[in-house]
Amino acid sequence: MAHNSKWRALSVRQLRTRRAQLVRQLPDLQATLYGAVQRQMRQCGRPGCRCAAGERHGPYLYLAVRMGRRTGLLYIPAEAADTVQQHVETTGRIEAALADISAINLELFARGALD
Ligand SMILES: [Zn+2]
């Protein structure tokens, strides 16, 4: 991973303060869900349905999740859409915070100040 110059300009004390802030601002770890929300239009396959002429149904929401080597699509019912979307976004914010904390620790390590 690249050594980020944004942290190099800060003192050890400032780095530790920033790291503590990142930890304090971490979202609720219980509200996490790996995956990506996708919108898809679908054909139902019924003969004579309007979707056969190209006017597809939807959009329907799906959660794309890694299942081993494959990606699975799980249907998201409308009543769960907001919660699923929020969990996916929260996971992204937590991952960004972890990446920053790790980069700060790498900088502290490089200065012999990792505690
Ligand atoms: Zn149809």
Side-chain angles (χ1 to χ4, degrees), residues 37-60:
V37 175
Q38 297 184 353
R39 285 175 167 71
Q40 290 195 1
M41 305 297 286
R42 288 275 164 135
Q43 271 183 294
C44 68
R46 279 198 309 269
C49 181
R50 60 186 169 88
C51 69
E55 201 185 325
R56 295 177 171 209
H57 305 282
Y60 297 109

